[in-house]
Amino acid sequence: MSAGVNFEIRSGVALVCIDNPPVNALGAAIRQGILDAIDRADADAGIKAVVLCGRGRCFSGGADITEFGKPRKQPFLSELITRIESAKKPIIAAIHGTAVGGGCEISLGCHYRGGDRTAQYGLPEIKLGLLPGAGGTQRLPRLIGVEAALGVILSGDYVDATSALSQGFLDEIVDGDLVEGALAFAARIVAEGAAPRRTRDIEIDPADTKSIFADARAKTAKRWRGLIAPERCIDTVAASLTAPLADGLALERKNFDELVQSVQSKAQRHLFFAERQAHRVPGVAKETPTIPIRKAAVIGCGTMGRGIAINFANAGIPVTVLEQDKAALEKGLNATRETYAGSVKRGSLAAADMEARLALITGTTEYGALADADIVIEAVFEDMTVKKQVFAALDRVCKPGAILATNTSSLDIDEIATATKRPESVVGTHFFSPANVMRLMENVRGAKTSPEVLATVMQLSKTIGKVGVVVGVCDGFVGNRMLYAYRSQAEFLLEEGALPWQVDKVIYEFGFPMGPFAMGDLAGLDVGYMVRQHRRKTKPTNDRYSSLIADRIVERGRHGQKTGKGWYLYPDGGRTPVPDPEIEKLIQGISDEMGIRRRPIGDQEILERCMYTLINEGAKILGEGIAARPGDIDLVWVHGYGYPIGRGGPMFHADTIGVGTVFEAMKKLHEQHGEMLRPAPLLEELAKSGKSFQDLSS
Ligand code: 3H9
């Protein structure tokens, strides 16, 4: 049969198996193969039914995303699915692993769906800036109802076998061999004389859906602010209520074509591939053995330590947390319980699961209790002396081969490693706060970190549901180094004439969840202040100092939301920032003190100075080899700092604007504002050779 699709006949049932590793993506050859198989089965009087399954790790991961943006090749997926649905013989999808995107849509065209316990279905197109483009918006509402279908399409999340059965997506869950079970199911329906049961024939009752759509639009506007695909998803699903299937499919196609060309979808597809590419770490061969992580430990049970421990417990890995004394330990463990209790209260976790996860977390005040841990992550105060003491203690007690990781957000990993006799086992695992929620994990490679250790922490990132990115050692690594540069610009803008709420508004409208000042208030301003005081002692610099205003604010006892005031006011214990005339006066006073004549600053200047500074610092980081590729930097900013996904991250955004344009703007800014805005050599090089950041990845 066709390459990538196997065909065999078993007792009058055609077994059609997609065999296109790694995820059975539905490229042109596979679509043709399935089409041929269905034609053959329909034409063969000896065949009474068809079972369609996938070989390897899943049923199908959907359309081949690498084909998007290229000329479309026949047979088109939507037409193939219409052909499957129209087939004369009953077709049963036998699902194991994921049936997602086009894979899910194929199964919706089948007449019956069975799955084993691993089966999951979903329409993740929204995460690629798309909508389901092969009938998903029209058939899923018919099959499981409008509200449930909108839930699946607008979240992009996958639905497990048990829920799929109760929703009516799966007809049966097979325990034991799936293919045998599906063949038996086929034999049964043939014996019963059952005809093909077509999803397109299911009637939808359009009554009472008004509030469902209104609710979906309101939630979407909040969750996916600024993105066009979610709105198009809703509009297209709405057509399934009233339009005949053919018209609904035509609208779906039109909207899909528009989205696939959009910058937003290109940006989101870039992030999809960047996430996978990040696992190809230079100097770490694919076959590098990893260290099994069966037991973990975390030093410090403060906010960070607790969040890290929760990640392990959520992944089923027992974790020991160490605190200095019993009181601190008890406080930390109680706070961990409260975090879980919050999830139970919100309905996102079952009470029994909370207990099971808490049972995996044990506390200790003795280093000796860490002797059998496969990985220890240190999350103590950001101070080199303290960190070195911890690492010396770990070196004494940990078993040979254990990974000794630090959650430092800026300190030199190589210096930390000198406190041990095993620098090859030392690595950075920089989590972002709240560590149990934020997806980024910056995995910092020290000069002597072994490939096994790096491969293991990258795999661990995946196991605990994080996006892992390997970065090199420098002050602040990738994320915080760029953040310093960006924040400095934001604060210089205040000294020169802008106000915090003006800067924040521009950044919010660009797509960040909040601007740098509201963000500072949320995170708390006192920690940054302490770090700055410490740095000034150890790292004198001739650069213009950017944090005079921030320092004065903290010195007035304004530590952000937690003290009811920071850059903004937070009246009545609320979380909504309110501009404060006192801050305006303070800023004006500092400008006077510094001899700066304040001037009106336009939104465009704010945007360029903040965003181009990010890009410029990213270019320096790339040039120095601290990040391996532009996509790695994009992942860091999207998953660690809320950079808008529809813009693909700072480096992808630079390509969208044009590297030449960014370079010219930086040159002007450099002339106006001096050294700190000097264009990065790599930016200049790319601009002069007419290349993009993307060209560095290929
Ligand atoms: C769609 O279907 C549109 C339709 O509605 C309409 C069309 C007209 N295509 O994630 P992994 C690659 S849009 C091409 O590490 P896992 C991936 O890049 C599609 N390649 O594996 C990686 O390559 P490499 C909607 C794909 O086992 C390798 O496979 N579907 C695709 O952890 C392994 O990937 C989605 O959005 C693809 N569709 O997870 C599904 N999928 O090894 C997205 C994966 O060279 N995919 N690759 O780096 C997933 O969710 C996961 O890949 C899956 C497997 C759960 C399937």
Side-chain angles (χ1 to χ4, degrees), residues 21-26 31 57-58 60-68 72 76-78 97-105 120 122-125 127-128 130-136 158 252-253 256 272-273 275-277 279-280 286 462:
V23 299
N24 293 329
L26 302 165
R31 300 195 296 272
R57 68 175 91 162
C58 61
S60 170
D64 184 342
I65 305 169
T66 60
E67 283 186 351
F68 294 164
R72 289 176 73 205
F76 303 145
L77 190 56
S78 191
T98 40
V100 294
C104 168
E105 291 171 301
Q120 282 188 310
L123 292 169
E125 286 84 346
K127 295 185 176 168
L128 300 170
L130 298 169
L131 51 68
Y158 298 168
E252 184 189 75
R253 182 75 235 166
F256 183 89
F272 174 86
F273 287 114
E275 202 175 306
R276 278 139 190 97
Q277 218 182 2
H279 281 266
R280 289 190 203 109
K286 208 175 157 203
K462 209 171 169 183

Side-chain angles (χ1 to χ4, degrees), residues 45 54 105 107 128 243 267 318 393 521 580 653 664:
E105 291 171 301
S107 77
L128 300 170
D521 278 354
D580 184 357
H653 182 56
E664 288 306 323

Side-chain angles (χ1 to χ4, degrees), residues 98-180:
T98 40
V100 294
C104 168
E105 291 171 301
I106 284 215
S107 77
L108 288 168
C110 294
H111 308 126
Y112 301 89
R113 283 155 298 277
D116 67 13
R117 299 266 162 205
T118 68
Q120 282 188 310
Y121 88 93
L123 292 169
E125 286 84 346
I126 198 164
K127 295 185 176 168
L128 300 170
L130 298 169
L131 51 68
T137 62
Q138 306 302 299
R139 289 192 182 87
L140 194 62
R142 284 174 163 82
L143 187 67
I144 67 167
V146 174
E147 191 169 11
L150 276 174
V152 172
I153 293 168
L154 292 176
S155 69
D157 294 340
Y158 298 168
V159 181
D160 66 20
T162 314
S163 307
L165 185 70
S166 64
Q167 283 179 341
F169 177 87
L170 285 181
D171 295 295
E172 188 168 293
I173 293 183
V174 175
D175 285 311
D177 188 89
L178 175 65
V179 169
E180 292 305 328

Side-chain angles (χ1 to χ4, degrees), residues 397-417:
V397 300
C398 290
K399 66 181 180 187
I403 296 177
L404 309 184
T406 167
N407 180 52
T408 180
S409 58
S410 61
L411 297 177
D412 185 343
I413 309 283
D414 294 327
E415 192 180 338
I416 295 176

